[in-house]
Amino acid sequence: MSQRLAHFIDGRRTALDAHRSGAVFNPSTGAQSAEVALASKADTEHAIASSQAAFESWSQVTPLKRSRVLFRFKALLEAHSDEIARLIANEHGKVLSDAKGELTRGIEVVEFACGMPHLQKGEHSLNVGSGVDCWTLMQPLGVCAGITPFNFPAMVPLWMFPIAIAAGNSFVLKPSEKDPSSTLRIAELFSEAGLPDGVLNVVNGDREAVDTLLTDPRVQAVSFVGSTPVAEYIYATASQHGKRVQALGGAKNHMVIMPDADLDQAVEALMGAAYGSAGERCMAISVAVPVGEETATRLRDRLLAKLDTLRVGESITDGSDHDMGPLVTREHLEKVSGYIAQGEQEGAELVRDGRAFDNGSDGYFIGGTLFDHVHPGMRIHREEIFGPVLSIVRAASFDAAVGLINDHEFGNGTAIFTRDGDCARQFCERIQVGMVGVNVPIPVPMAFHSFGGWKRSLFGALHVHGQDGVRFYTRMKTVTARWPSGLRESTNQFSMPTH
Amino acid sequence: MSQRLAHFIDGRRTALDAHRSGAVFNPSTGAQSAEVALASKADTEHAIASSQAAFESWSQVTPLKRSRVLFRFKALLEAHSDEIARLIANEHGKVLSDAKGELTRGIEVVEFACGMPHLQKGEHSLNVGSGVDCWTLMQPLGVCAGITPFNFPAMVPLWMFPIAIAAGNSFVLKPSEKDPSSTLRIAELFSEAGLPDGVLNVVNGDREAVDTLLTDPRVQAVSFVGSTPVAEYIYATASQHGKRVQALGGAKNHMVIMPDADLDQAVEALMGAAYGSAGERCMAISVAVPVGEETATRLRDRLLAKLDTLRVGESITDGSDHDMGPLVTREHLEKVSGYIAQGEQEGAELVRDGRAFDNGSDGYFIGGTLFDHVHPGMRIHREEIFGPVLSIVRAASFDAAVGLINDHEFGNGTAIFTRDGDCARQFCERIQVGMVGVNVPIPVPMAFHSFGGWKRSLFGALHVHGQDGVRFYTRMKTVTARWPSGLRESTNQFSMPTH
Amino acid sequence: MSQRLAHFIDGRRTALDAHRSGAVFNPSTGAQSAEVALASKADTEHAIASSQAAFESWSQVTPLKRSRVLFRFKALLEAHSDEIARLIANEHGKVLSDAKGELTRGIEVVEFACGMPHLQKGEHSLNVGSGVDCWTLMQPLGVCAGITPFNFPAMVPLWMFPIAIAAGNSFVLKPSEKDPSSTLRIAELFSEAGLPDGVLNVVNGDREAVDTLLTDPRVQAVSFVGSTPVAEYIYATASQHGKRVQALGGAKNHMVIMPDADLDQAVEALMGAAYGSAGERCMAISVAVPVGEETATRLRDRLLAKLDTLRVGESITDGSDHDMGPLVTREHLEKVSGYIAQGEQEGAELVRDGRAFDNGSDGYFIGGTLFDHVHPGMRIHREEIFGPVLSIVRAASFDAAVGLINDHEFGNGTAIFTRDGDCARQFCERIQVGMVGVNVPIPVPMAFHSFGGWKRSLFGALHVHGQDGVRFYTRMKTVTARWPSGLRESTNQFSMPTH
Amino acid sequence: MSQRLAHFIDGRRTALDAHRSGAVFNPSTGAQSAEVALASKADTEHAIASSQAAFESWSQVTPLKRSRVLFRFKALLEAHSDEIARLIANEHGKVLSDAKGELTRGIEVVEFACGMPHLQKGEHSLNVGSGVDCWTLMQPLGVCAGITPFNFPAMVPLWMFPIAIAAGNSFVLKPSEKDPSSTLRIAELFSEAGLPDGVLNVVNGDREAVDTLLTDPRVQAVSFVGSTPVAEYIYATASQHGKRVQALGGAKNHMVIMPDADLDQAVEALMGAAYGSAGERCMAISVAVPVGEETATRLRDRLLAKLDTLRVGESITDGSDHDMGPLVTREHLEKVSGYIAQGEQEGAELVRDGRAFDNGSDGYFIGGTLFDHVHPGMRIHREEIFGPVLSIVRAASFDAAVGLINDHEFGNGTAIFTRDGDCARQFCERIQVGMVGVNVPIPVPMAFHSFGGWKRSLFGALHVHGQDGVRFYTRMKTVTARWPSGLRESTNQFSMPTH
């Protein structure tokens, strides 16, 4: 029997008016596992009002005391990491070890946010003019909103609200309605750590909730991670309503393999980066760019060998994890399958067809897929597939590889595999991409650095987490001060005769 | 005979197709002094293309060498400061000493931008993982655009392009078409300092030019200073086109005078802050908020006495400067006069009526105006008048004064005059305003700090100049790197037997 | 029967050769509570060797993983805070609530050190020359040493080793041999938190151990807190042996009370700052400086009234804490009593004589003592008494008060009590003291700021904890890099004909 | 006829009592060119007193106004760069282009110091406790002293005093008495730029002047660059007198050439790094470490070919510059020649003997010298020769090369030539040297980074120039402030009934 998932508002799970709901499935079995309430405009406004009220007192708590709640939150997340990872795996479909990895990366942002007393410092200048000082206060904004995708139900929310809240804001989070359980559990644990009610509210919902968040005047800032069309909509709409926005969109990440690369290392990395989490990562590598025909041939041969041993199956097993689980929904499975068909039509060579995969279950499985001889014009190169489909685009030279990537509309992540310092350095300087790996396939920056792409992969000036995250969630106030002389001089004048 | 003013593109003044033009006047005499070409869409695109081309090479110049051009630019601005100040005074109407002050504040941003080799540093982390390093590059964006107002034709453009250009961007500036001469001359001097052609282009124009800048895909970022309705339009439109934007709007700046204030100092400060530059400053004080009736009475009396001695007249004189010159245009004079009439109708007490002022010239003069018993509901309190009109809004208590300011839609600047540390500190913490003066009437942050208001006075996350300015004009790229072992190990293995 | 206290080396308590030992007393009863081993030169070298060995691997652990040990350490300190506070109170004599306060301030440094992955970042510059980059690594030094005083057996060590160790160093700590139990317990908990053996070694000892630490070439840096003569010796000796040193010495902290001060608040603050922990704090206020005779009279009257209610007694009671416990040792009690006699001889007015205190126990008790009409020439003003002895030095004016303080050889802490912004600001700018309180009697900076005095209160350039602490415990390495072109160009040349 | 060189004190050249003097020579001709006054203790104290007096007012000038003097100073240095370079070349012996290069690197520090208003900012924390704020002032120290070597008479002083002075300190500089003219001229130009008299005093002198600077209580900080024995003496002595000190000593810089290096580039770099400025640079490469015998053979062959074309001659010529000029003094020539003899005795292979060089002049010339098969035990490897003598030490492996360098007592600079990212990265992480070049032979950090070696090449915690330089020349004062409520509340209470 399916569970009913509500929102998390004012420190407790609550369904509010619950006129509408959505279904949550276990992608490994295809069975519905829960019904999730979808917030109406009124529900969302209720959550905003709660966060607005909570902001008044939370913003008055000192950064040091706020950070102490974060310290406890981190400890609780670690204590419940198995439980949370299982919630992720069951609703998203990624394998358990991957779910744990996701959570760990999220916990690292909590760790970073524990440093808020230091991070939230302003600057101070003595004597900008004679007897005039100037300093800055970095104050919280008020109610901030986060809208997050299904593919990292724990990590992506944790990129946002720990920093926002440690800085003194309150937060309304709208996670993906496809796999909300881990997000709700995380919010519950923050509450258990001592976070006052209403500082973090979670509303499940769809476009109705989103539009409410984008237009409500009480919401000061919006952080979004998702596809580019939606990111654009979020950025334009929330901006039009005067909010500060950071909206992260889609990706098409290329890995360049130079002739001198350690090919074993590169192939190993590529397998994980292309097929891990069934390719449902905005930092997944979906295009391999071997430089030179010989490199291409060697790469292809080794990939094929590796694909023969790729273990696909349920997210949670009794024994050791599979390499890759199912896709998140039946609809998404069909979309990915459609792309494979599209690739064939466009003339790419379908070297390995994952559609053939069948493990007898009703889960949303597809096998690891490989295209060769893909060309820039093709839709399978232009668009984000978000599935376990790797394309080989052969480049005749280093410059051609760089040009290929710089011509693409997305600029989220990329990588180069080489031993050569010059190649790596040139690549890093010239590539029009926000996150670059040198022999690192998925260069997701650590929590104390910032995550963000270029071009149509990110809208807004500030990246997510790290110092940029702190800047995003604070408002700068600049004070300039001098004082009239008076008391001091009067006590001095008074004393004159006595000396 | 009226001069013809063109654009400054590719290192020289050029009228391009010049189908349309506008008139420039000397506000002190009412005489037209110039005709200015208004850029068409094609003209603007021509300027953008020039800047796009210049970006390719300018962004490759090292920060150190770029900063050297800024050093020379500063020296040239200083050498030509009289000339530039006269251009400002003649077209804007502010008195010469004020024009020089404006330029000085602009030069300070150039001085700040000279530190770009230091300011543009990224962060570096050794061993984010074992053998894995992470660092950030803060790279220029490409073509940036600035759209600036008539009231600071030198300073506001200088808030923007020196930092953008020092960081490696190219820049298209659209200054106000009402007083473009000083801006054009400044651009010329930058060129003379060694800036390559096209790195800074100036197009004169109106909405056609603006819309082109907001929508052209080659423009990466837009900085704007002007009124709030236009700021909102700029922010929404440029955001919709995927650009990063900082849009600064209107203001209604209050000065709170506490009973313990040094009243002589406060009145002196208020006179300059309310009537200097004829009130045409976004940081002008247009509302005085005395706390307590006794304070109000004393303040009003002293203001009246001071108003009797306020010297109004032409911008440039043979002798010492006037306190205040004319308004910028006849239209603006009429608008300000209309507000005075409006205030009377709304029931405010018109204590001194500047409309009575007449010096026999055809200049756009109006005298210093004072209202008392103004209340929050009135339009003269809600709206920005941008003229020499000061309103007294009496507050019964400190909390009432704070509440009054926090309820206003604008949050640009504010000041408190007091000797009391507690009052000042509470005011700084609680006030919902971006720039706060403590016994400082016009708390414009220095160049190495950042300028920006709160609420509907600024749209976007990052303030102007200072570290925020550098962040605005750079794009963060995060590199994560590790290396395969190989050469190092092979030379070690090779050597094994020999030891 | 008395307990035997050993060292903490290589993860366990060990007495090593233990030729010499010292006695530890309970100051509330005068009974010996323990015998503590005093390290020989060989013992100390053993500890250094252990730390040197531990450094090799600990410095290779990533900052992120190191910080995780700190997170667990914080949790353990909190879990054992009662136990640790009792150890402090029993051996030092301060009352339990004060001991807990001390520990809390120490834990805050651990919290700060948890941010090491962020704090240890270097800088990165792209293109310092064309194709040449420059970045910095902030690497650990090796074995660092801390020599800490009896008065804060938990807090002062925690100022040092958490930051040093989080940054990748190993550490040999020599705490005071008068109250080592809490320090040893804290080290044990760090070990329990997962710190590898030898990374933190604690040696109990006296001058023999100290001299070994100062001269052993393996020790890279020395942090010291204690009296000025010893600080000077430490600074000179360790410097002579090529180490980096920060040596914090004595203090004579003045609190200026202006005529406009909130006198109730000032007196309340003064009582705690002068008599709390029996005055055995380097940040204790030992001189009150009322400005003007009237202020002096009012201050004296209220102090006397408060002194009548000062509760002096054992550190640990069944009921609520006393205000103040005993001094640390019989010798120290005699020294403090001697200063009181000295003050009388020098002609100061002994308003309240703490020597009269008697609660019938053998503890090292003395009552709160107050001198009036103390003058700068007197030894009780020149020297640090380190007991519950407060002197009133009357100043005729603000300038006289500032001059008085600036003429003193020490410059650790100071405070001013006033409501007047100008007084406070002038005081902060002009006073030659490292830590300044404005209406804050004991302005110990928070962990994320830095602790340090001026003049003969600190030797060395860098203060303790905060960013300065991180800088002190890291060594900067600056890399400048460019790469020969080669592979990249060859793949490009090779590809030329194929296009 | 020989010129008389005096000191530069209080804004003018003055010989003071001038009991003693030294001779200055033109190393290209061996002729004495000047007599330089050597300061007595009294002379030096006079200079200190002058700087102490100047500090009182200079420290009160705002950072912005101080930086303006620096801007003018930079312009004057550029305008007089030819003149200064000739003064350097004539007294030091380095060729003109090299002298200009030195000056340019010095000017870059002036450029960096122009950013002082930004660089001198402190930190500000709102609400470290409820209603309690904390901020830091970075104030100047007072009189700072610099003691600088003959080999960079312009650059090394410019590393120090521009930053110290921009931060509000005054400065007494004791340059090398061997080539003081350029230093004096630079000081004169700073004065011409508007620096008040006494803020920068230059005393020429020897040990008497040095000891006075090290022990005078008015001197707050000492910066030194020279040989290691003197650096140790400076560090110990000045530390003993309670000053903060940074003392930079000797070097023995190794360049590792890996088998995959671009050998043409490496040899070109090595020639300049070993023989440029006749090897009289603390960042000169004096040891080449080829990895593998084959690399060694190829390297040696190419070096010999290059040595055949090395042009040695006078510093200033009519035509294009020589590659290398004479040594600085006859004594130094003899010392360097002695080292060559020593190397032969120790059994190293003297491949090219520079002692054979003779151009018929009386200048202090010696030719480029090359040893092969040098081993770590030899004095020519252990000690700094400071002449155009390059030693080849062959390493069997990468690890052997790293070990060789890490075993040396000095750790100033080093370089590796390789194309391999892994080699470079491992080298950077593991090498115990402060400044590391990757394919950069002389990795002197830019002005906005910091210069400093490790081990016995630097004593003290803070490096020179860059952010460390600013920290060195400023004293941190931490303010903690809260305010008693009063006026604010009274106006609120008062107003209660009226609402």
Side-chain angles (χ1 to χ4, degrees), chain B residues 70-408:
Chain B
L70 275 284
F71 273 101
R72 288 191 294 270
F73 180 37
K74 167 190 150 73
L76 284 173
L77 287 173
E78 287 177 333
H80 293 79
S81 62
D82 278 336
E83 173 195 355
I84 296 168
R86 281 176 183 275
L87 292 172
I88 298 170
N90 275 326
E91 289 182 357
H92 172 278
K94 64 179 69 175
V95 299
L96 200 56
S97 57
D98 196 33
K100 279 182 192 162
E102 166 185 353
L103 182 58
T104 300
R105 299 306 297 262
I107 292 173
E108 287 166 16
V109 183
V110 181
E111 292 172 347
F112 174 72
C114 286
M116 197 51 69
H118 175 70
L119 298 167
Q120 205 167 354
K121 284 173 183 166
E123 301 181 319
H124 185 279
S125 292
L126 184 72
N127 284 328
V128 295
S130 199
V132 183
D133 303 332
C134 179
W135 63 89
T136 49
L137 313 182
M138 305 306 291
Q139 293 185 296
L141 308 170
V143 182
C144 301
I147 300 162
T148 56
F150 78 87
N151 62 331
F152 288 104
M155 182 181 76
V156 172
L158 285 168
W159 282 355
M160 302 170 180
F161 70 76
I163 295 176
I165 287 172
N169 300 282
S170 57
F171 204 91
V172 179
L173 175 67
K174 197 219 81 57
S176 169
E177 71 281 16
K178 297 199 186 77
D179 49 6
S181 288
S182 64
T183 322
L184 288 163
R185 186 70 186 111
I186 286 170
E188 218 163 41
L189 291 172
F190 206 172
S191 192
E192 196 178 322
L195 191 71
D197 292 351
V199 177
L200 173 61
N201 289 324
V202 182
V203 290
N204 294 301
D206 50 17
R207 179 146 180 176
E208 185 173 344
V210 167
D211 282 345
T212 309
L213 291 171
L214 298 182
T215 56
D216 190 292
R218 291 166 298 186
V219 174
Q220 302 294 319
V222 176
S223 299
F224 169 82
V225 175
S227 69
T228 288
V230 181
E232 278 194 285
Y233 171 77
I234 298 276
Y235 187 66
T237 309
S239 292
Q240 199 178 337
H241 287 83
K243 306 179 193 324
R244 62 174 70 176
V245 198
Q246 51 185 186
L248 281 65
K252 195 77 185 182
N253 303 320
H254 300 67
M255 180 199 282
V256 176
I257 299 99
M258 293 297 290
D260 74 332
D262 180 327
L263 207 61
D264 286 337
Q265 193 189 69
V267 169
E268 197 71 47
L270 195 42
M271 288 299 296
Y275 302 115
S277 198
E280 294 168 322
R281 291 172 180 154
C282 67
M283 287 295 278
I285 294 292
S286 52
V287 189
V289 185
V291 172
E293 286 301 319
E294 200 210 316
T295 311
T297 306
R298 289 192 295 144
L299 178 73
R300 173 181 168 152
D301 290 349
R302 297 211 198 180
L303 279 173
L304 281 174
K306 282 279 179 188
L307 271 167
D308 290 339
T309 65
L310 186 73
R311 293 169 310 117
V312 182
E314 323 80 73
S315 314
I316 303 182
T317 64
D318 287 338
S320 67
D321 278 359
H322 289 114
D323 295 322
M324 168 180 141
L327 289 172
V328 67
T329 58
R330 185 161 307 282
E331 294 68 32
H332 191 54
L333 176 62
E334 280 156 17
K335 186 180 158 202
V336 172
S337 300
Y339 269 116
I340 298 172
Q342 172 79 21
E344 285 188 289
Q345 287 166 25
E346 285 173 315
E349 181 192 359
L350 180 55
V351 184
R352 195 70 101 228
D353 185 352
R355 291 172 302 185
F357 179 87
D358 185 3
N359 64 357
S361 87
D362 288 333
Y364 316 136
F365 292 99
I366 188 167
T369 300
L370 181 68
F371 278 107
D372 196 358
H373 298 294
V374 173
H375 295 293
M378 299 176 179
R379 270 188 60 199
I380 59 167
H381 181 253
R382 291 203 319 273
E383 299 180 11
E384 186 172 33
I385 297 174
F386 230 60
V389 181
L390 177 65
S391 296
I392 298 177
V393 176
R394 294 165 177 236
S397 67
F398 175 83
D399 283 355
V402 168
L404 179 74
I405 297 168
N406 283 351
D407 286 347
H408 204 282

Side-chain angles (χ1 to χ4, degrees), chain C residues 92-105:
Chain C
H92 172 278
K94 63 179 72 175
V95 300
L96 200 55
S97 57
D98 196 33
K100 278 182 192 162
E102 167 186 355
L103 181 59
T104 299
R105 298 306 297 263

Side-chain angles (χ1 to χ4, degrees), chain D residues 80-122:
Chain D
H80 293 80
S81 63
D82 278 337
E83 175 195 353
I84 296 167
R86 281 177 184 275
L87 292 173
I88 297 170
N90 275 326
E91 289 183 357
H92 173 278
K94 64 180 70 175
V95 299
L96 200 56
S97 56
D98 196 31
K100 278 183 194 164
E102 165 185 355
L103 182 59
T104 299
R105 299 307 296 263
I107 291 173
E108 286 166 16
V109 182
V110 181
E111 293 172 345
F112 174 71
C114 285
M116 197 51 69
H118 175 69
L119 298 168
Q120 205 167 356
K121 283 174 184 166

Side-chain angles (χ1 to χ4, degrees), chain C residues 212-231:
Chain C
T212 308
L213 291 171
L214 298 182
T215 56
D216 191 290
R218 291 166 298 186
V219 174
Q220 302 293 319
V222 176
S223 300
F224 170 81
V225 174
S227 69
T228 288
V230 181

Side-chain angles (χ1 to χ4, degrees), chain A residues 369-428:
Chain A
T369 300
L370 181 68
F371 278 108
D372 195 357
H373 298 294
V374 173
H375 294 294
M378 299 176 179
R379 268 188 64 199
I380 59 166
H381 180 252
R382 288 203 321 273
E383 299 179 13
E384 186 172 31
I385 297 173
F386 229 60
V389 180
L390 177 64
S391 294
I392 297 176
V393 176
R394 295 165 176 236
S397 68
F398 175 84
D399 282 354
V402 168
L404 179 73
I405 297 168
N406 284 351
D407 286 346
H408 204 281
E409 78 168 303
F410 296 128
N412 212 44
T414 189
I416 188 169
F417 275 67
T418 181
R419 300 173 187 278
D420 186 80
D422 173 51
C423 273
R425 199 265 174 200
Q426 290 290 335
F427 189 76
C428 290

